[in-house]
Amino acid sequence: MNVEEMYQQIILDHYREKHHSGLREDYDAEVSQVNPSCGDELLLRVHLDGDVITDVSYDAVGCSISQASTSVMTDLVIGKTIDEAQDLYRGFQEMMRSRGTVELDEDTYEDAIAFEGVAKLMARVKCAMLGWSALEDSLLKATEGSPAKVGSGAGTGSTETKEESR
């Protein structure tokens, strides 16, 4: 099996067995993101304990790339501080915008390196960024208490805190 096939298999595995999928009630911010170019939809919740991400849960409809990328992202950021998660976001975003010229550190990004090939497919970059953009928006919402930027990152969305949604 060559590297490209292995990366495709990682994406398919995360699509079939989505990690942290299913919304959980204990959360500090909730963000909805939509990728209008392909119809991907995501509702993501983040729960913090101080500055540590203790849980990320989500409900998603869409392509295998958007759902697998969100699954991989949750594995990477749960247990990390907000600053560490934002660093991961920025590195993943840089790689996705590079059109395949930036490589991720496998020790840091683990299964996320499988998306390096996706970065060469400009039409799929928004798909891969959807969950990451929702995470970034939710962290801003949870920590600053101000509306996250609507339409930032991969799709257009809305944000609300737990109190606003009930």
Side-chain angles (χ1 to χ4, degrees), residues 23 27-34 41-47 56-60 70 73 129-143 146-162 164-165:
L23 296 172
Y27 62 94
D28 296 298
E30 180 176 85
V31 175
S32 175
Q33 290 276 336
V34 176
E41 296 180 18
L42 174 70
L43 182 64
L44 182 133
R45 293 176 175 173
V46 65
H47 180 64
V56 178
S57 65
Y58 63 95
D59 185 32
T70 302
M73 179 270 301
M129 286 301 302
L130 189 68
W132 291 86
S133 296
L135 174 73
E136 178 71 359
D137 287 351
S138 68
L139 292 174
L140 288 171
K141 183 73 171 175
T143 58
S146 62
K149 297 170 275 186
V150 175
S152 68
T156 59
S158 64
T159 62
E160 59 183 33
T161 61
K162 179 169 47 175
E164 292 169 333
S165 69

Side-chain angles (χ1 to χ4, degrees), residues 33-42 61-67 124 126-128 130:
Q33 290 276 336
V34 176
N35 180 355
S37 64
C38 70
D40 295 336
E41 296 180 18
L42 174 70
V61 176
C63 71
S64 59
I65 291 173
S66 70
Q67 292 189 53
R124 304 312 301 263
K126 287 183 179 181
C127 301
L130 189 68

Side-chain angles (χ1 to χ4, degrees), residues 16 29 44 46 53 77 92 95 97 115 121 124 131 141 147:
R16 290 181 185 131
L44 182 133
V46 65
I53 300 168
V77 301
F92 189 82
M95 181 273 297
R97 290 180 173 174
F115 294 90
L121 309 169
R124 304 312 301 263
K141 183 73 171 175

Side-chain angles (χ1 to χ4, degrees), residues 5-134:
E5 289 172 342
M6 183 179 70
Y7 288 172
Q8 289 174 356
Q9 189 60 48
I10 290 170
I11 291 170
L12 287 174
D13 288 348
H14 273 275
Y15 173 67
R16 290 181 185 131
E17 298 289 329
K18 297 167 197 71
H19 301 180
H20 310 284
S21 178
L23 296 172
R24 288 180 284 286
E25 286 301 315
D26 199 13
Y27 62 94
D28 296 298
E30 180 176 85
V31 175
S32 175
Q33 290 276 336
V34 176
N35 180 355
S37 64
C38 70
D40 295 336
E41 296 180 18
L42 174 70
L43 182 64
L44 182 133
R45 293 176 175 173
V46 65
H47 180 64
L48 303 172
D49 183 5
D51 72 339
V52 175
I53 300 168
T54 57
D55 191 32
V56 178
S57 65
Y58 63 95
D59 185 32
V61 176
C63 71
S64 59
I65 291 173
S66 70
Q67 292 189 53
S69 182
T70 302
S71 174
V72 168
M73 179 270 301
T74 62
D75 284 346
L76 286 174
V77 301
I78 293 173
K80 299 279 194 289
T81 66
I82 293 168
D83 287 343
E84 291 169 332
Q86 288 173 329
D87 285 345
L88 289 168
Y89 165 79
R90 285 187 289 275
F92 189 82
Q93 181 184 50
E94 178 187 8
M95 181 273 297
M96 291 306 299
R97 290 180 173 174
S98 78
R99 297 182 183 225
T101 61
V102 172
E103 293 183 3
L104 298 174
D105 176 61
E106 186 175 0
D107 291 335
T108 303
Y109 283 90
E110 301 172 8
D111 284 352
I113 64 168
F115 294 90
E116 289 175 352
V118 175
K120 297 174 186 174
L121 309 169
M122 290 310 294
R124 304 312 301 263
V125 168
K126 287 183 179 181
C127 301
M129 286 301 302
L130 189 68
W132 291 86
S133 296

